Amino acid sequence: MAYQSLRLEYLQIPPVSRAYTTACVLTTAAVQLELITPFQLYFNPELIFKHFQIWRLITNFLFFGPVGFNFLFNMIFLYRYCRMLEEGSFRGRTADFVFMFLFGGFLMTLFGLFVSLVFLGQAFTIMLVYVWSRRNPYVRMNFFGLLNFQAPFLPWVLMGFSLLLGNSIIVDLLGIAVGHIYFFLEDVFPDQPGGIRILKTPSVLKAIFDTPDEDPNYNPLPEDRPGGFAWGEGQRLGG
């Protein structure tokens, strides 16, 4: 019975969030079991382009370090905000969500050539948090019960927390920068005088991922989100 309930809960996770989170957990498990090593996963332009180890373009986004506080912290935020985006502003737009993944991953890989980062998963998580926070500007957040602030400040609070843990903020800044580029091109620039929509999801992605059976009348509330964790919890102003 417990297995069936867990399986049902797992299958209720939106497909992109489920696939990415599962890939991250399985990659970490494989490293912990010593089936593979981080040296086979990290981003290395020379090995990618000269030795054709193309898989590194993907695997460097899947490993968040050994199991510990940092790993669990990143997994919670990755799962939470990836799912909230997919169930919120990207509901019924799976192809657009996948395109955001590809666009963000491409920019981070490009920037990664110049900042010497070997794993980009944390930056990708910050990108997801940034996009969600800008699309939910009036949601109030509570971080560990210590700080109260509005959603757009969340990426910066996470960067400050990362700094307190002794981590480099270059990763967080990269995620914020890529998230801002996507948000500006997708949500801001098209509405400006003379603005156009630059980011257009390829029709092949729409043919693969979008399904016509989504309820067109569904209008999720901004506060509808996967729950259970108080870290970064938000509530509507006036609520």
Side-chain angles (χ1 to χ4, degrees):
M1 182 66 70
Y3 168 77
Q4 292 295 333
S5 299
L6 185 62
R7 179 176 178 272
L8 181 61
E9 181 65 25
Y10 176 74
L11 292 176
Q12 287 179 344
I13 301 173
V16 178
S17 300
R18 181 172 67 237
Y20 184 41
T21 306
T22 300
C24 293
V25 172
L26 291 179
T27 300
T28 301
V31 172
Q32 289 294 116
L33 294 173
E34 299 184 351
L35 300 176
I36 56 177
T37 71
F39 296 104
Q40 297 171 284
L41 308 174
Y42 75 99
F43 179 72
N44 185 313
E46 182 176 354
L47 293 177
I48 292 172
F49 300 113
K50 291 185 178 180
H51 298 273
F52 305 106
Q53 296 183 10
I54 305 300
W55 67 84
R56 293 177 184 271
L57 290 171
I58 299 175
T59 56
N60 81 90
F61 287 98
L62 304 180
F63 185 64
F64 289 78
V67 175
F69 176 79
N70 191 60
F71 169 76
L72 294 175
F73 186 82
N74 276 287
M75 282 297 97
I76 288 172
F77 271 84
L78 169 63
Y79 165 77
R80 182 178 177 81
Y81 290 96
C82 188
R83 181 170 182 174
M84 282 198 289
L85 276 175
E86 192 169 2
E87 291 183 333
S89 59
F90 284 99
R91 184 179 181 89
R93 300 168 52 218
T94 302
D96 293 338
F97 196 44
V98 172
F99 182 64
M100 186 189 76
F101 267 57
L102 296 176
F103 177 78
F106 172 77
L107 283 187
M108 288 183 190
T109 299
L110 188 62
F111 292 151
L113 296 173
F114 303 99
V115 294
S116 300
L117 293 174
V118 293
F119 290 105
L120 296 171
Q122 183 177 333
F124 196 85
T125 299
I126 293 296
M127 180 197 75
L128 296 174
V129 171
Y130 184 91
V131 174
W132 177 86
S133 69
R134 293 301 301 270
R135 288 183 171 180
N136 296 270
Y138 302 112
V139 175
R140 289 195 59 83
M141 315 296 296
N142 180 280
F143 191 73
F144 285 112
L146 300 175
L147 294 174
N148 292 290
F149 51 89
Q150 288 181 245
F153 292 101
L154 179 58
W156 304 100
V157 171
L158 293 180
M159 186 179 71
F161 184 71
S162 181
L163 186 62
L164 288 176
L165 293 177
N167 300 325
S168 171
I169 63 172
I170 298 298
V171 176
D172 300 82
L173 288 174
L174 176 60
I176 289 173
V178 173
H180 181 73
I181 291 172
Y182 176 83
F183 175 76
F184 178 80
L185 293 179
E186 179 69 13
D187 293 38
V188 178
F189 186 65
D191 295 329
Q192 300 301 308
I196 60 172
R197 183 170 298 278
I198 297 176
L199 300 180
K200 295 182 179 180
T201 303
S203 57
V204 63
L205 291 181
K206 290 184 174 293
I208 295 173
F209 293 103
D210 283 352
T211 56
D213 56 353
E214 187 69 35
D215 182 4
N217 297 317
Y218 181 82
N219 185 25
L221 296 173
E223 62 264 34
D224 285 345
R225 61 193 190 280
F229 300 103
W231 299 357
E233 183 176 358
Q235 63 182 27
R236 297 289 295 178
L237 281 173

